[in-house]
Amino acid sequence: MAVLFALLLTAVVVSTGMGYISITPGEVVRIVGARLTDTGALVAGMDETFPVVVMDVRLPRILTAVVVGGGLALSGCVFQGILLNPLADPYTLGVSAGAAFGAAVALLLNISAMGTFSIPVFAFAGAVLTLVLVLYLSASGGGFSSNNLILSGIIVASILSAAISFLKYVADEQVAVIIFWLMGSFGSRTWGDVGFTLVFVTFGLIVFLFFSRDLNLLALGDRSAASLGVNTGRVTLVILVTASLVTAVCVSVSGIIGFVGLLVPHMMRSLTGPDNRRLLPACLLAGGILMLAADTVTRAVLPHEIPIGVLTALIGGPFFCYIFRRKQMGRASV
């Protein structure tokens, strides 16, 4: 945990200095320190544009990427544990499709009543309504089964994907804006976005850690967990709703960014083991590092910025195929 935290802090400082205007890590630390301590002497003699670039342009975007990456990885870890499916990720229940539909509606109707928060609010509302519908479809007398939840999520996501395609068809000039949002981006993020996502991700982490022991027992199966004193129905509902809300908040701010919630839990599980008391914080930190690295590449390394969802899919897809194939080869050798 200490190594991951140190890597994350280092990545934040180095990434903040990268871009069209190059700023050294030492200057970044001095600027942040001057803002936190209100000590102007720390930035004496420095270019006047540096504090503006760091505090008002780059740092909100970077911290939003870190929090969103951590939230998606955290939710992916929980979904894989609660659904007992190694291919589960934050979008398994169709939450991302609901957020995408809500954002597409806001973009199509050019709704700006809430300013810059209009699109995130509509995306969040679409994700929450999708979650409610999935839970309603999958509910049965015995509670929530993983198969019913996954099937319900696939059905709802397919319907919403068709609805999004229809919205793009009728969007005319605004279709490019909708497509770009669906690809994911952290451009023009503000400190409000940082605070908004940080509150929900922190709340999710607290809930998940509180139920980490129950989550460990649920991996043994519902019957085994119930025999050990776990209220499987209540715990499953609370964890699923919390993970879906964290995903909804992250998606509403960043757009659709895939593979982070799928890859990071597998990578960290090989380092920390399956105990969620260690795995969950590790996924939070590693997800932030991975998302920040991807955003830094799109923002400061490539000659032209591309949507971060495209980059994570291009990198994450082949990497996941490698992991999956290696596991298959390991099973075959046994």
Side-chain angles (χ1 to χ4, degrees):
M1 298 301 169
V3 172
L4 286 174
F5 187 73
L7 285 174
L8 180 59
L9 285 181
T10 303
V12 169
V13 173
V14 173
S15 177
T16 304
M18 297 176 63
Y20 180 75
I21 299 177
S22 181
I23 305 174
T24 65
E27 290 173 331
V28 172
V29 173
R30 288 166 53 194
I31 292 170
V32 175
R35 180 63 63 91
L36 293 177
T37 61
D38 197 20
T39 305
L42 291 174
V43 294
M46 190 181 298
D47 192 319
E48 295 181 355
T49 61
F50 285 7
V52 177
V53 170
V54 170
M55 299 304 300
D56 298 333
V57 179
R58 292 182 184 172
L59 207 52
R61 171 175 180 158
I62 287 170
L63 293 181
T64 302
V66 169
V67 177
V68 168
L72 292 177
L74 197 63
S75 299
C77 178
V78 171
F79 278 124
Q80 291 174 12
I82 203 74
L83 299 177
L84 302 179
N85 189 332
L87 296 179
D89 69 352
Y91 307 136
T92 300
L93 300 185
V95 175
S96 66
F101 179 75
V105 170
L107 291 169
L108 178 63
L109 301 179
N110 197 22
I111 296 175
S112 58
M114 290 166 282
T116 57
F117 287 98
S118 297
I119 295 175
V121 167
F122 269 75
F124 180 75
V128 171
L129 292 175
T130 301
L131 173 62
V132 172
L133 180 58
V134 169
L135 292 177
Y136 171 76
L137 291 176
S138 60
S140 62
F144 300 95
S145 70
S146 59
N147 288 336
N148 287 343
L149 284 167
I150 293 174
L151 288 175
S152 299
I154 293 174
I155 293 170
V156 174
S158 299
I159 296 172
L160 291 174
S161 296
I164 293 170
S165 298
F166 176 75
L167 292 179
K168 289 191 290 186
Y169 174 75
V170 301
D172 293 333
E173 296 87 358
Q174 293 175 300
V175 65
V177 179
I178 295 175
I179 292 175
F180 185 81
W181 189 92
L182 293 175
M183 291 179 179
S185 175
F186 290 106
S188 303
R189 296 301 96 192
T190 65
W191 285 108
D193 296 312
V194 177
F196 177 65
T197 52
L198 183 61
V199 168
F200 281 89
V201 172
T202 302
F203 170 75
L205 177 63
I206 294 173
V207 172
F208 299 148
L209 288 177
F210 180 79
F211 288 103
S212 59
R213 175 184 174 275
D214 296 335
L215 194 57
N216 288 339
L217 295 177
L218 285 172
L220 303 175
D222 289 346
R223 290 185 178 180
S224 299
S227 67
L228 293 172
V230 178
N231 187 337
T232 57
R234 181 176 66 88
V235 172
T236 300
L237 180 61
V238 171
I239 293 178
L240 281 177
V241 170
T242 304
S244 297
L245 289 178
V246 170
T247 301
V249 170
C250 293
V251 172
S252 69
V253 170
S254 64
I256 308 300
I257 300 175
F259 284 99
V260 175
L262 184 62
L263 285 176
V264 173
H266 286 285
M267 297 167 61
M268 290 300 101
R269 198 173 286 113
S270 63
L271 297 177
T272 66
D275 188 352
N276 286 284
R277 290 171 294 183
R278 295 192 301 268
L279 180 60
L280 289 170
C283 286
L284 179 71
L285 295 173
I289 295 172
L290 179 60
M291 187 69 80
L292 176 57
D295 184 59
T296 302
V297 170
T298 64
R299 176 180 61 85
V301 176
L302 296 179
H304 300 286
E305 182 172 341
I306 65 173
I308 190 171
V310 175
L311 183 63
T312 57
L314 289 174
I315 297 175
F319 186 71
F320 184 75
C321 290
Y322 166 74
I323 294 177
F324 180 75
R325 183 58 182 169
R326 190 177 65 177
K327 287 187 176 181
Q328 293 295 100
M329 294 296 291
R331 291 174 183 173
S333 62
V334 176

